[in-house]
Amino acid sequence: MARKNGVLTQVNEWLKAAPGPAKREVGQRVNELKSKVEAAVNSAQERLKIGASSARLTSECLDVTLPGIRRPLGAEHPVIRTMNEIVAVFRNLGYSVSEGPEVESDYYNFESLNFPPNHPARDMQDTLFIADQDKKPARDRLLLRTHTSPVQIRTMEKMKPPLRIVIPGKVYRNDPPDASHSPMFHQIEGLAVDTNITFGDLKGTLDHAMKALFGSSVKTQFRPSFFPSPSPAPR
């Protein structure tokens, strides 16, 4: 189909050289040949376009059912990493993890743990109360939990002994921030309820946890400290 040296151009030259009586018949055949060639070329072009489109669809297709690419989130915070390490130690000891709300009622944060309204431990914890709670009964007033101990009560309401749980989470107290204090900090505590458990089990558990976290050569020392805890047994 090229203008200068294409086959159809040469055929037109044959048409010019044909004798007068034969030109009509030759012209018809030339037109038929042109039509066939053009149809063949158009068909080939369509096949090439379809093939190119299929190849592009194959190479550029997006399968929406595949899992997405996760964006890197950076390094884990040292506090969270440490909490996860401690939780892992107690998981290996057979403890399960329990969690609870950070906004608690006075009942779960104090009353159910045997903290009467005038107990000195309440003053030591310097609680952050939620605003506009004055019209509620004292036990229903909301506050930011001062310890993770309310989760003990919530867990014992749902589960029957024996149970072993570890409770990690954030707690809040009205402390002015300095090098060793913060209004929000993290706490982990454990609870084991079963028969034939002694204070020796508590010491052995803590000793094992320290060795698992800091190495088997670590030595633990237990020192008594006064705290007016109303709980009937060590937690």
Side-chain angles (χ1 to χ4, degrees):
M1 296 179 69
R3 291 183 180 180
K4 292 183 178 181
N5 55 355
V7 176
L8 295 182
T9 303
Q10 297 177 16
V11 170
N12 288 330
E13 295 298 327
W14 300 341
L15 179 59
K16 292 179 182 179
K23 281 189 176 183
R24 182 175 181 181
E25 182 180 357
V26 174
Q28 291 178 351
R29 294 188 178 184
V30 168
N31 291 334
E32 291 177 0
L33 179 60
K34 283 184 178 181
S35 298
K36 290 182 179 180
V37 171
E38 290 175 352
V41 171
N42 292 334
S43 177
Q45 288 178 338
E46 289 297 323
R47 288 198 304 271
L48 289 174
K49 288 181 180 179
I50 294 173
S53 299
S54 298
R56 185 176 179 182
L57 287 174
T58 303
S59 62
E60 300 180 5
C61 68
L62 175 63
D63 187 351
V64 296
T65 64
L66 292 175
I69 299 174
R70 293 187 177 182
R71 299 176 61 186
L73 299 179
E76 190 176 32
H77 193 279
V79 173
I80 302 301
R81 184 172 67 249
T82 303
M83 289 186 65
N84 291 337
E85 291 174 357
I86 297 174
V87 169
V89 170
F90 283 89
R91 280 186 182 275
N92 292 334
L93 292 173
Y95 283 69
S96 58
V97 179
S98 292
E99 296 179 335
E102 296 176 16
V103 177
E104 268 293 4
S105 67
D106 185 281
Y107 170 77
Y108 281 105
N109 195 80
F110 289 123
E111 184 178 337
S112 61
L113 293 166
N114 295 331
F115 286 84
N118 296 323
H119 196 277
R122 289 195 180 215
D123 297 332
M124 294 175 64
Q125 297 190 12
D126 206 0
T127 309
L128 292 167
F129 286 90
I130 306 299
D132 301 325
Q133 301 287 305
D134 297 338
K135 296 181 180 180
K136 291 184 178 181
R139 63 182 346 216
D140 295 332
R141 294 176 185 176
L142 300 179
L143 50 89
L144 296 180
R145 67 181 183 186
T146 58
H147 43 202
T148 54
S149 301
V151 184
Q152 295 187 28
I153 304 302
R154 292 183 176 276
T155 302
M156 288 188 288
E157 287 178 343
K158 298 176 183 177
M159 300 173 58
K160 294 182 179 180
L163 60 87
R164 287 173 173 80
I165 59 172
V166 61
I167 309 164
K170 299 175 184 176
V171 297
Y172 305 85
R173 298 183 187 182
N174 190 20
D175 292 330
D178 57 31
S180 59
H181 294 83
S182 172
M184 185 278 292
F185 56 97
H186 293 78
Q187 190 178 74
I188 297 180
E189 66 180 273
L191 173 68
V193 180
D194 203 348
T195 56
N196 300 321
I197 290 182
T198 68
F199 202 83
D201 295 303
L202 173 63
K203 294 179 66 177
T205 299
L206 295 177
D207 182 73
H208 171 80
M210 295 304 102
K211 286 180 168 56
L213 289 168
F214 302 110
S216 58
S217 61
V218 168
K219 294 182 180 180
T220 56
Q221 184 181 40
F222 296 88
R223 294 181 179 179
S225 176
F226 172 73
F227 177 76
S229 175
S231 301
R235 298 191 298 276

